[in-house]
Amino acid sequence: MSSPAVSSRDLPHPALDEIRLEGVLHALSDPMRLRIVRELAGAPGDLSCSHFDLPVTKSTTTHHFRVLRESGVIRQVYRGTAKMNGLRRDELDELFPGLMGALLAAAARQAARLDD
Amino acid sequence: MSSPAVSSRDLPHPALDEIRLEGVLHALSDPMRLRIVRELAGAPGDLSCSHFDLPVTKSTTTHHFRVLRESGVIRQVYRGTAKMNGLRRDELDELFPGLMGALLAAAARQAARLDD
DNA sequence: CGACTCGTACGATAGGCATCGTAGTACGGC
DNA sequence: GCCGTACTACGATGCCTATCGTACGAGTCG
């Protein structure tokens, strides 16, 4: 109730200066994770883990979200039983200007090409 | 000998439409390979494998160059005993406009940050 | 409280991969 | 033809990781 900071459990996120480009690229080099990131980028706000309908089990999904968080690509916050996920877009833009935009554009372009 | 324009041995390269974004990102997510690509991007022309002084053995170096070639990031051509390597910059720019530029800029930014 | 949903932890498994060392092939020059 | 240089092929090794299933913890709602 009231408004405790957020909820009870807090998750570890890398600080800006701990984010490594190689880690970000590795995180995005998995099709499942790239798909998650694309969906997050296209959504207005944060999305819960259960919002995603991935062709893998829940434990594997948990794994992918953790990789994304630990590499610094997304931010995760508990909200009740749900876990909300959002791109760390502003921070990434500060660290690597233009990178996320180019990556998302490239992913969109490839998706369009493969869909035709 | 029939008459190969350049040399005898030809190496398999993926066509433009066979290049996958995930493959490119995976190739660049290795520090050694990112270093190679940065050096290639900064050079005026192609560079031989032996030009690079990497902290790994030659066989490992061969492995990294092959990963880069098979993912579509670089082009490799034999020239005598040497193997010349060059970024497929123009083709990648056509396939994913702005991507390589953003990636190289991000890598340069991180290198500068870590060097200070 | 009890049931239900959401997500986690843990162990197992199978495949991928970065690395090495050694032995070998291709090419150019003497 | 012979030697040296440049790179490769192959096998081994140890680590990383994507995947699963099951059992569990945290929170919500009746």
Side-chain angles (χ1 to χ4, degrees), chain A residues 49-50 59 62 66 78 81 83:
Chain A
C49 290
S50 56
S59 27
T62 294
R66 175 164 38 191
Y78 276 105
T81 76
K83 195 181 197 175

Side-chain angles (χ1 to χ4, degrees), chain A residues 2-78:
Chain A
S2 60
S3 71
V6 173
S7 185
S8 44
R9 313 170 264 178
D10 268 2
L11 296 158
H13 290 76
L16 257 204
D17 64 346
E18 289 169 344
I19 296 179
R20 300 276 276 122
L21 176 60
E22 294 91 325
V24 171
L25 297 185
H26 173 249
L28 298 180
S29 72
D30 181 278
M32 218 62 69
R33 293 195 287 262
L34 186 56
R35 176 168 160 176
I36 291 173
V37 168
R38 289 224 315 136
E39 203 160 337
L40 281 178
D46 286 12
L47 297 176
S48 71
C49 290
S50 56
H51 169 273
F52 296 83
D53 189 28
L54 303 173
V56 291
T57 63
K58 279 186 153 193
S59 27
T60 301
T61 301
T62 294
H63 162 70
H64 285 311
F65 275 107
R66 175 164 38 191
V67 172
L68 285 171
R69 171 171 48 82
E70 292 181 343
S71 68
V73 177
I74 68 171
R75 172 182 12 89
Q76 292 190 294
V77 179
Y78 276 105

